[in-house]
Amino acid sequence: MRTDTTFKRAFNDMIDLLRTFDPGAELPSENALRAQLGVSRTTVRKVLASMSARGVIVSEAHGRIMREHPQQIERYPKEETLAISQQVETSFMEWMLRDNACPGTEINEAELARKFGVATTIVREFLNRFQKYGLIEKRQNAGWVFKGFTANFALELFEIREMFEMRSARLFASLPDSSPIWKQVRAMRAAHLELLADIDARFQDFSELDSRFHRLIATVAPNRFVESFQDVIAIVFHYHYQWNKRDERTRNEVAIREHLALIEALESRNIASIDQACRAHLTSARETLLRSIA
Amino acid sequence: MRTDTTFKRAFNDMIDLLRTFDPGAELPSENALRAQLGVSRTTVRKVLASMSARGVIVSEAHGRIMREHPQQIERYPKEETLAISQQVETSFMEWMLRDNACPGTEINEAELARKFGVATTIVREFLNRFQKYGLIEKRQNAGWVFKGFTANFALELFEIREMFEMRSARLFASLPDSSPIWKQVRAMRAAHLELLADIDARFQDFSELDSRFHRLIATVAPNRFVESFQDVIAIVFHYHYQWNKRDERTRNEVAIREHLALIEALESRNIASIDQACRAHLTSARETLLRSIA
DNA sequence: CGTATGTTTCTTATGTATAAAAAACGAGGG
DNA sequence: CCCTCGTTTTTTATACATAAGAAACATACG
């Protein structure tokens, strides 16, 4: 049966939300909370009931009042707030990347389901979605084959990435000053400089910034297929580097500097510089990935 | 419970296979048949048993003998040889393209399952796989949204297609004479000329030839993401034009001539001609699609 | 011993069940 | 009438069940 991860996530979020109110304050309506927590009213009511039961809030004639800041209420642990399908993604990635599964390995739905402790339906659904990442292949009336997280995979991935990214980057040259994207570019530069200043402590934050940076570049010429491909890149980098920490700090610092160079090139509107900076970064990222695979 | 479409398909194939034997001939071993029919031995045995029951073949001490050509045995109808998941694809495409679903329409798994007369699991699985075609989008804990088979969709599709196809086509210029692909190119030209000669009768065969032609061009630089994108193109064209027959004959004849021009350009090894022919064809294909959508 | 068939076991394709979440419906109160 | 809240209905996420199909094992025969 369905897990109540949505409720638990909303419950945790509600704790944070309550911190922004003063003790004794009247809470917003269920509908307002629904919008803020991003869940249905049904779930909001469940959270409210749960909070009431713990005495954090009390129902009055005219609505609900927060009694006190929920200091000692326990949050639900992170794992319990993730839908089973998301947990399966992590489990699978771990199996694939950490256990170093060999190219050509047969993937068995039933076996994975047992190993991960979930229903076969979920594994099946995950594999169907995962297919688009190009790492597995289905065989008629039989299981799947793992094609391997290989150098070849990396090369094919970067071949497409280069096509897509060069196309977007070049478009910046002809973007008018008035385009709102320049503001975002400046903000992006600031975020990079900030991270760079504190690189020793925060180098792990780079992965997410990286993804945001490349997605921003892609937005100049919106295309659903390009966006979908960004998901492929994001998931590969996210999980691969999560379990592959060699030279992480250096690697990220280099990438940040390359990003900054590209930002400068974009702002210069000079096609040649843009080309050069973009290609330099992609080449470097590709080599880094290849080195970590070999 | 699982349907026996695999058996029915194998049964039909077996009828064709038996036609190639003489009456009284001894049949190949179960294992040999398995390889020829492309199914498991379990299914082969089921087919053999079924054929025996109908008296077409008899078991002897030393194997099986075909008694007579299976003239009056009835084949299973085509629909019964398609897995439910494939039928759902057709049903969904029909709903989307023929019923002209509006952009923004909410897709309801349960409702579709009822409408198509299948289990919700299947619909869910289909939608997950179908997501990669860029026509639907999932919303957290809710259904899906149909983004519409719109002009925008066509434009984004062709933008990627042009990038991919120009890349491949250009590579032909530097391909050595010795490459085995030239032979395939010549065969492809022959197939086109043949179809052109008989265009009035066979113009419906173009769709499949078209797909093969573009896939052939892509094989010069194999890339799983490009290949996967060919599936997108193939499915879109296959279904869209299946229910959109306006000017079909003319449309296909034009495309064949464009293909022939491109083949000639490829063989010339002249980058400029290749570029020109390739772009001309893609532009024309795009305009045709756009016209049929509007 | 290698190949062909009979038998058993395991996996996949598909249907059904159900708790959780979302959405729709309804009734009061400003 | 619009908003808020209580209630009912519908849908989704997940588990489980089972026939069809694949694969592994076993036996027999040349």
Side-chain angles (χ1 to χ4, degrees):
Chain A
M1 304 100 218
R2 191 170 186 171
T3 50
D4 58 351
T5 54
T6 304
F7 159 69
K8 288 175 175 166
R9 205 168 342 116
F11 185 91
N12 285 353
D13 291 349
M14 185 69 168
I15 293 180
D16 297 333
L17 190 60
L18 285 179
R19 295 239 165 80
T20 66
F21 292 107
D22 293 322
E26 184 172 318
L27 296 184
S29 76
E30 293 176 356
N31 236 315
L33 289 172
R34 185 195 60 71
Q36 287 186 69
L37 296 174
V39 296
S40 74
R41 199 159 67 80
T42 308
T43 302
V44 168
R45 301 188 96 232
K46 204 170 158 186
V47 170
L48 288 173
S50 177
M51 292 276 181
S52 286
R54 280 162 224 235
V56 180
I57 62 182
V58 276
S59 293
E60 301 263 313
H62 277 270
R64 273 166 280 263
I65 291 190
M66 179 179 72
R67 273 237 303 237
E68 51 182 332
H69 274 157
Q71 303 295 10
Q72 61 279 52
I73 290 194
E74 265 191 76
R75 307 172 136 263
Y76 288 101
K78 180 103 190 268
E79 310 84 72
E80 291 181 26
T81 65
L82 296 173
I84 300 274
S85 51
Q86 291 172 291
Q87 293 169 235
V88 166
E89 179 180 303
T90 312
S91 306
F92 182 80
M93 284 304 205
E94 196 162 339
W95 167 79
M96 184 172 87
L97 296 173
R98 193 138 70 163
D99 302 359
N100 259 313
C102 290
T105 304
E106 310 231 335
I107 295 173
N108 187 312
E109 291 177 6
E111 193 186 323
L112 279 190
R114 279 194 299 269
K115 177 155 30 198
F116 299 161
V118 300
T120 56
T121 328
I122 298 288
V123 171
R124 214 179 149 76
E125 186 178 319
F126 167 73
L127 293 171
N128 268 312
R129 264 183 300 127
F130 190 73
Q131 198 172 12
K132 82 161 176 180
Y133 296 107
L135 286 163
I136 60 173
E137 220 167 46
K138 177 107 184 79
R139 287 195 309 190
Q140 190 65 235
N141 278 337
W144 304 71
V145 186
F146 174 52
K147 295 164 78 178
F149 192 82
T150 61
N152 235 355
F153 173 75
L155 290 171
E156 293 176 24
L157 182 82
F158 268 93
E159 191 176 8
I160 307 299
R161 188 181 188 179
E162 189 168 321
M163 265 192 261
F164 286 178
E165 196 138 328
M166 298 290 275
R167 171 198 82 131
S168 297
R170 283 199 187 114
L171 286 176
F172 274 81
S174 48
L175 226 50
D177 278 330
S178 59
S179 166
I181 210 163
W182 294 115
K183 205 182 145 197
Q184 294 175 272
V185 169
R186 284 193 299 275
M188 196 50 88
R189 192 216 313 271
H192 277 78
L193 289 172
E194 220 171 273
L195 186 51
L196 192 58
D198 199 14
I199 185 75
D200 287 313
R202 289 181 49 210
F203 64 90
Q204 309 219 348
D205 295 0
F206 175 68
S207 171
E208 197 235 329
L209 184 62
D210 185 55
S211 177
R212 279 203 294 132
F213 177 68
H214 290 288
R215 280 183 204 270
L216 173 61
I217 291 183
T219 54
V220 282
N223 182 304
R224 68 190 79 195
F225 300 105
V226 174
E227 281 156 33
S228 163
F229 190 71
Q230 307 258 346
D231 297 343
V232 181
I233 297 171
I235 202 170
V236 164
F237 279 66
H238 176 69
Y239 284 104
H240 176 63
Y241 285 131
Q242 184 167 336
W243 291 304
N244 231 300
K245 299 292 193 188
R246 200 161 31 137
D247 301 327
E248 186 177 25
R249 191 196 155 289
T250 326
R251 205 197 316 130
N252 288 352
E253 185 175 342
V254 169
I256 292 177
R257 292 191 194 282
E258 286 168 2
H259 281 190
L260 287 168
L262 177 51
I263 289 176
E264 193 153 335
L266 294 176
E267 291 181 332
S268 81
R269 316 289 185 83
N270 179 326
I271 284 263
S273 328
I274 292 176
D275 257 45
Q276 199 259 318
C278 190
R279 206 182 301 272
H281 173 49
L282 291 175
T283 305
S284 145
R286 183 181 59 214
E287 294 313 313
T288 308
L289 182 59
L290 283 172
R291 235 187 344 265
S292 77
I293 288 177
Chain B
M1 303 102 221
R2 191 170 185 169
T3 49
D4 57 352
T5 53
T6 304
F7 159 71
K8 288 176 175 165
R9 204 166 344 112
F11 185 92
N12 284 354
D13 291 348
M14 185 70 169
I15 292 179
D16 297 331
L17 190 60
L18 285 178
R19 295 239 166 80
T20 67
F21 293 107
D22 293 322
E26 184 171 321
L27 296 185
S29 75
E30 292 176 357
N31 236 316
L33 289 171
R34 184 195 61 73
Q36 287 185 73
L37 296 174
V39 295
S40 75
R41 199 158 67 80
T42 307
T43 303
V44 168
R45 300 188 95 232
K46 203 168 160 187
V47 170
L48 288 174
S50 177
M51 293 277 181
S52 286
R54 281 160 222 235
V56 181
I57 62 182
V58 277
S59 293
E60 299 265 311
H62 279 267
R64 272 167 281 265
I65 291 188
M66 178 178 74
R67 273 237 303 239
E68 50 182 333
H69 275 156
Q71 305 294 11
Q72 63 279 49
I73 290 194
E74 263 190 79
R75 307 174 134 264
Y76 289 100
K78 180 100 190 271
E79 311 83 73
E80 292 181 26
T81 66
L82 296 174
I84 300 273
S85 52
Q86 291 173 290
Q87 292 169 236
V88 166
E89 178 180 305
T90 313
S91 307
F92 182 81
M93 285 303 206
E94 195 161 341
W95 167 79
M96 183 172 86
L97 296 173
R98 193 141 64 168
D99 302 359
N100 259 316
C102 289
T105 305
E106 308 231 337
I107 296 173
N108 187 311
E109 292 176 6
E111 193 187 323
L112 279 190
R114 279 194 300 269
K115 177 156 28 199
F116 299 162
V118 299
T120 56
T121 328
I122 298 288
V123 171
R124 210 176 152 76
E125 186 178 320
F126 167 75
L127 293 172
N128 268 310
R129 263 182 301 126
F130 189 73
Q131 196 172 13
K132 80 160 178 181
Y133 295 107
L135 286 163
I136 61 174
E137 219 169 47
K138 177 103 184 80
R139 287 195 311 189
Q140 191 63 236
N141 278 336
W144 303 71
V145 186
F146 174 52
K147 295 165 77 177
F149 193 83
T150 62
N152 236 355
F153 173 76
L155 290 172
E156 293 176 24
L157 182 83
F158 267 93
E159 190 177 7
I160 306 298
R161 187 180 189 180
E162 188 168 320
M163 267 191 261
F164 286 177
E165 196 137 330
M166 297 290 274
R167 173 198 80 131
S168 298
R170 282 198 189 115
L171 285 176
F172 274 81
S174 48
L175 227 49
D177 279 331
S178 58
S179 167
I181 210 164
W182 293 117
K183 203 181 147 198
Q184 293 174 272
V185 170
R186 285 193 298 273
M188 194 53 84
R189 191 216 314 268
H192 276 78
L193 289 172
E194 221 171 88
L195 185 51
L196 193 58
D198 200 15
I199 187 72
D200 287 315
R202 289 181 49 211
F203 64 91
Q204 310 220 348
D205 295 359
F206 175 68
S207 171
E208 198 236 330
L209 184 62
D210 185 54
S211 178
R212 279 203 293 131
F213 177 68
H214 290 287
R215 281 182 204 270
L216 174 63
I217 291 182
T219 54
V220 282
N223 183 305
R224 69 192 75 194
F225 300 105
V226 175
E227 281 156 32
S228 162
F229 189 72
Q230 307 260 342
D231 298 343
V232 181
I233 297 171
I235 203 172
V236 164
F237 280 66
H238 176 69
Y239 285 104
H240 175 63
Y241 285 131
Q242 183 168 336
W243 290 305
N244 231 300
K245 300 293 194 189
R246 197 161 35 133
D247 302 327
E248 185 175 24
R249 191 197 155 290
T250 326
R251 201 194 323 128
N252 289 350
E253 184 175 343
V254 169
I256 292 177
R257 293 191 194 283
E258 288 167 1
H259 280 188
L260 287 168
L262 177 50
I263 288 175
E264 192 151 337
L266 294 176
E267 290 180 333
S268 80
R269 315 290 186 83
N270 180 326
I271 285 262
S273 330
I274 292 175
D275 258 46
Q276 198 261 321
C278 190
R279 206 181 303 271
H281 173 49
L282 291 176
T283 305
S284 144
R286 182 182 59 215
E287 294 314 313
T288 309
L289 182 59
L290 282 172
R291 237 188 340 267
S292 77
I293 288 177

